[in-house]
Amino acid sequence: MTTADVAEAAEVAEDFEGLYGSAPEGVWAAPGRVNLIGEHTDYNDGFVMPFALPHTALAAVSRRTDGVVRLHSSDIEGGVVELRADALLPESDKNWTAYPAGVIWALLDAGHESVSSGADIHLTSTVPTGAGLSSSAALEVVVALALNDLYELGLERWQLARLCQRAENVYVGAPTGIMDQTASACCTDGHALFLDTRDLSQDQIPFDLAAEGMRLLVVDTQVKHSHSEGEYGKRRAGCERGAELLDVDALRDVPYGDLDAALVRLTDAGADEEVHRLVRHVVTEDHRVERVVELLKSGGDTRAIGPILTEGHASLRDDFQVSCPELDLVVESAVETGALGARMTGGGFGGSAIVLVEAEDADRVAKAVEEAFSAAGYTAPRVFAAVPSAGARRIR
């Protein structure tokens, strides 16, 4: 546990006591994430490679005995929201409370009846919202971990991630994949997580850019996005249509070497241009993840992953069509200024991009991006260095 963990835990516990009149039984933290490579592959049973950020959602929690759930966030205006654990219904809540309440619903739906006793929960978060850094997953995972510990449910981290995904898919109504929740629950300090989203097998890959004289910058464009507004769901449905026409369980099952033949089969089956594009992105993106993993595990020059990141952005921009002018400008201006590679990260339609740079070039590249935004009349971006950090944990 870090010194920062101790200080944050004390502050959140104090706020909890001020709200509810007694000290919490514990304080937990769960991070946001950056996805290094592997975008929109998780709901296609494919490969992803996220790592945890130092930015976290914090939850101070105590059990109750009367079935009441009380929720409060220091980041949202308004007082304590009171709900009944036995009255939670999917898609009945369109507010921030849907994320923690959805976790309670998912636990109950999975047969963990002890959670019906209720809980007092106070939350705060340093994960930027709407930035493609999984602020909602961090909120879900921190609540799930707290309830798992307090109610002694005995669930493994991957099981918590699955339940949190179900909360977001069914209770919130957002058709997200499994990556964000697994990253928040399972990442480890100093590593990127190579995750097979079909069987949830994991490989922690050492990822220490500082030791090799590099940095990974996150550029939050300040353009907000929402996965539940339809575009994400349309692309997921298109991918499922492509898999159906190719007679495979998921696009993960289309080998990279067979992509051209698969696209011909789609044409013969009457698939439209959009399905062709979606399939091409997913198959090539899975291959990009495998290439990055091979480079990092071989102990070769990590700088070689830079062009793969940029290649991935072009695919997300042109084939999957989830970029936006601000994200494109980050990538273009960074690469033109000497970045090793750059791409959007997260679901898209706004949010953040990542930029791989030599450490000595970090300030210059960041300044170039900021100046490009100013010249284009865009809101100034937020730029910070991403350091692979610890996953969800109890901190008090």
Side-chain angles (χ1 to χ4, degrees):
M1 187 183 305
T2 67
T3 302
D5 279 347
V6 173
E8 290 171 345
E11 183 176 348
V12 174
E14 183 179 345
D15 290 344
F16 179 100
E17 188 166 359
L19 283 166
Y20 299 125
S22 61
E25 292 185 80
V27 179
W28 291 259
R33 66 96 187 98
V34 161
N35 191 25
L36 182 64
I37 192 73
E39 219 65 78
H40 291 278
T41 51
D42 59 343
Y43 53 83
N44 290 290
D45 281 1
F47 305 123
V48 294
M49 200 172 185
F51 63 85
L53 289 168
H55 307 72
T56 59
L58 299 171
V61 184
S62 286
R63 291 166 291 180
R64 296 179 63 91
T65 58
D66 57 1
V68 170
V69 177
R70 293 195 292 183
L71 301 169
H72 181 269
S73 170
S74 64
D75 307 311
I76 307 292
E77 290 186 10
V80 174
V81 177
E82 189 169 309
L83 305 168
R84 292 283 314 177
D86 59 5
L88 300 174
L89 295 172
E91 298 195 59
S92 62
D93 187 349
K94 301 302 179 183
N95 300 308
W96 72 270
T97 48
Y99 296 99
V103 170
I104 295 171
W105 170 84
L107 287 167
L108 290 171
D109 190 60
H112 302 288
E113 290 298 327
S114 59
V115 179
S116 64
S117 295
D120 285 337
I121 302 172
H122 169 60
L123 296 152
T124 189
S125 180
T126 58
V127 185
T129 59
L133 303 176
S134 300
S135 58
S136 60
L139 205 61
E140 293 157 358
V141 169
V142 76
V143 171
L145 182 61
L147 296 175
N148 185 52
D149 286 354
L150 290 176
Y151 282 103
E152 299 181 344
L153 303 180
L155 296 169
E156 299 290 340
R157 294 301 182 95
W158 67 268
Q159 293 174 303
L160 293 177
R162 278 288 194 208
L163 285 165
C164 289
Q165 182 199 17
R166 179 164 168 74
E168 189 147 354
N169 288 174
V170 180
Y171 195 89
V172 178
T176 56
I178 189 64
M179 174 183 66
D180 295 348
Q181 292 84 2
T182 305
S184 186
C186 300
C187 279
T188 59
D189 189 29
H191 293 76
L193 176 67
F194 176 38
L195 174 68
D196 182 333
T197 65
R198 169 165 285 169
D199 62 12
L200 295 189
S201 59
Q202 303 176 19
D203 192 358
Q204 301 284 352
I205 310 294
F207 192 55
D208 185 358
L209 292 176
E212 298 185 59
M214 288 176 285
R215 287 186 193 170
L216 191 74
L217 304 178
V218 175
V219 182
D220 177 3
T221 65
Q222 308 282 359
V223 177
K224 302 301 180 183
H225 72 285
S226 174
H227 288 162
S228 56
E229 288 180 355
E231 291 299 323
Y232 190 105
K234 288 178 185 177
R235 282 156 181 79
R236 182 165 184 164
C239 290
E240 291 169 353
R241 176 61 176 160
E244 179 185 6
L245 292 173
L246 292 169
D247 194 27
V248 293
D249 291 335
L251 293 182
R252 144 55 172 295
D253 297 313
V254 180
Y256 176 73
D258 294 348
L259 176 58
D260 289 343
L263 295 175
V264 171
R265 287 173 60 197
L266 287 175
T267 299
D268 293 343
D272 60 22
E273 180 198 354
E274 181 181 22
V275 171
H276 280 77
R277 289 189 287 97
L278 297 176
V279 169
R280 183 166 53 234
H281 167 73
V282 173
V283 175
T284 58
E285 186 77 349
D286 272 335
H287 185 55
R288 279 186 283 273
V289 178
E290 292 177 306
R291 290 161 60 196
V292 169
V293 170
E294 184 178 354
L295 282 167
L296 293 179
K297 292 186 77 170
S298 69
D301 188 357
T302 303
R303 288 165 177 79
I305 73 174
I308 303 175
L309 303 183
T310 308
E311 179 186 314
H313 182 79
S315 182
L316 288 160
R317 180 193 65 212
D318 301 334
D319 278 344
F320 225 72
Q321 297 189 357
V322 291
S323 189
C324 67
E326 291 85 352
L327 288 167
D328 294 341
L329 185 58
V330 174
V331 174
E332 292 162 10
S333 56
V335 172
E336 286 175 0
T337 314
L340 297 165
R343 73 170 190 91
M344 58 155 280
T345 188
F349 312 109
S352 299
I354 55 174
V355 181
L356 182 66
V357 294
E358 301 285 359
E360 62 192 22
D361 294 335
D363 291 343
R364 181 170 60 85
V365 171
K367 182 178 180 181
V369 171
E370 291 165 350
E371 289 176 346
F373 267 56
S374 178
Y378 296 151
T379 300
R382 179 187 177 205
V383 184
F384 60 91
V387 179
S389 300
R393 58 207 181 271
R394 186 169 187 164
I395 59 175
R396 182 180 175 124

